[in-house]
Amino acid sequence: MAVMNYAADAVTENYGQNDILAARNAFLKYTFDEQAKLLVVMPMTEATGVLHECPLRHVQNLLDRLDELGEEVRMRHLASGLGLLCSEAEPAGHYLKNSVMSHVRERIGWIVGLALLGIVSGLIISHYEDTLSQLVLLAIYMPVIAAAGGNTGSQAATLVVRALAMEEIRCKDWLLVLWKEFRVSIIMASVLAAVIMGRVMMFSGSTLLPVGMNLEDIAMAIGMAISLQVVLSTSVGGVLPMVARACRLDPAVLVSPVLASVVDITGMMIYFTTVNWMLGLS
């Protein structure tokens, strides 16, 4: 199996397919160590074209050998050109071969920082204790808000990370991605809001409500809050991987925890602000 086909177009702009295949055949006649040393001195475009026509496992072994020879920069450039590396911040080597501490160093800073940021969600909830005391029903749907935002945002982020890795999109396409995810989120938000409003109407009829407040208005407020959260989370989830790539950070490490924190904080703000406004609560 040859390396990703999406690298072929860029390579064949400078070299014909027959030239690339001839160079590949000549390249493979050398020993493994000689091939690694050749990759150091070959022009980048030619090296990428040759590796593109080689089996994926052989390419990965050659890249590992370059790393062992101290040619990490060259290895990263080749891997990036072949679509095997999504970010300059990604660790070198295989996932299982990297030490536990290397993984910890890569992740711990984001996790600790975002955990501390999560305190903001608790402060927001405590700020709206009066709202919850007036209408306990709202507490039941708080996890729904967080889950809806997290799920839709993660879906969008996963699709965009994959599209970036496959070079279907680039960072400069962020407006196109944002517009696409916004339209998708509007439809999903409408469907989800209808489902949640139906759930409130069907299963919350026995709940004691404040004087002058009816269940239809509460269902509408909760549905509106979920809609706003889904639209925001999906849009952020679509753009965040591109921001990470533009900042030369690894989207696979950064996007999920950052998105989770953003969804938690914005979800509570949107929920209580929308409900207070639509229901006239203090």
Side-chain angles (χ1 to χ4, degrees):
M1 176 182 175
V3 182
M4 321 297 185
N5 289 333
Y6 56 78
D9 292 339
V11 175
T12 53
E13 287 180 2
N14 297 318
Y15 296 91
Q17 184 65 26
N18 291 335
D19 295 334
I20 295 172
L21 292 176
R24 187 275 312 270
N25 294 335
F27 177 79
L28 292 177
K29 291 179 180 179
Y30 291 92
T31 66
F32 181 78
D33 282 340
E34 289 174 338
Q35 291 174 16
K37 293 176 182 178
L38 279 174
L39 291 176
V40 176
V41 298
M42 290 172 64
M44 184 62 64
T45 305
E46 183 179 350
T48 304
V50 168
L51 291 179
H52 174 264
E53 297 299 331
C54 294
L56 179 57
R57 174 54 59 187
H58 186 65
V59 172
Q60 291 174 330
N61 290 335
L62 284 171
L63 295 177
D64 289 342
R65 182 57 179 156
L66 286 176
D67 188 39
E68 293 172 359
L69 294 173
E71 298 290 343
E72 182 179 348
V73 174
R74 183 71 168 186
M75 180 274 290
R76 287 183 174 275
H77 287 167
L78 288 171
S80 179
L82 292 167
L84 299 177
L85 192 66
C86 294
S87 168
E88 292 298 320
E90 291 183 27
H94 291 291
Y95 170 83
L96 292 177
K97 293 182 180 179
N98 287 340
S99 68
V100 171
M101 289 308 299
S102 68
H103 284 284
V104 171
R105 286 193 297 269
E106 183 186 6
R107 305 181 193 180
I108 192 65
W110 290 107
I111 296 302
V112 172
L114 294 172
L116 295 175
L117 186 61
I119 298 174
V120 176
S121 297
L123 295 176
I124 293 173
I125 294 173
S126 65
H127 181 72
Y128 288 99
E129 283 183 353
D130 291 341
T131 300
L132 291 174
S133 64
Q134 293 179 65
L135 189 56
V136 180
L137 178 61
L138 296 177
I140 298 175
Y141 292 94
M142 285 170 57
V144 179
I145 292 286
N151 293 337
T152 55
S154 297
Q155 281 184 335
T158 300
L159 291 173
V160 172
V161 168
R162 185 176 67 181
L164 284 170
M166 298 295 290
E167 294 189 352
E168 297 172 353
I169 58 175
R170 300 181 182 277
C171 293
K172 64 181 180 180
D173 300 323
W174 69 273
L175 274 176
L176 295 175
V177 172
L178 180 61
W179 173 234
K180 188 179 188 67
E181 291 300 329
F182 176 76
R183 289 178 290 165
V184 171
S185 67
I186 290 293
I187 298 174
M188 292 196 301
S190 301
V191 174
L192 186 57
V195 171
I196 296 302
M197 289 170 63
R199 170 65 173 78
V200 174
M201 296 295 297
M202 293 177 63
F203 297 99
S204 302
S206 60
T207 304
L208 294 177
L209 303 177
V211 178
M213 191 174 297
N214 58 67
L215 197 59
E216 290 80 3
D217 292 337
I218 296 173
M220 182 67 71
I222 294 175
M224 177 61 70
I226 288 180
S227 296
L228 294 174
Q229 174 67 349
V230 167
V231 171
L232 178 63
S233 299
T234 305
S235 301
V236 172
V239 174
L240 192 56
M242 308 182 80
V243 173
R245 172 70 73 83
C247 295
R248 307 183 76 81
L249 299 171
D250 184 0
V253 174
L254 175 66
V255 170
S256 293
V258 171
L259 184 61
S261 296
V262 170
V263 166
D264 285 342
I265 294 173
T266 60
M268 293 302 98
M269 283 294 297
I270 289 173
Y271 188 43
F272 287 113
T273 301
T274 303
V275 168
N276 278 351
W277 173 64
M278 295 187 67
L279 300 180
L281 298 173
S282 58

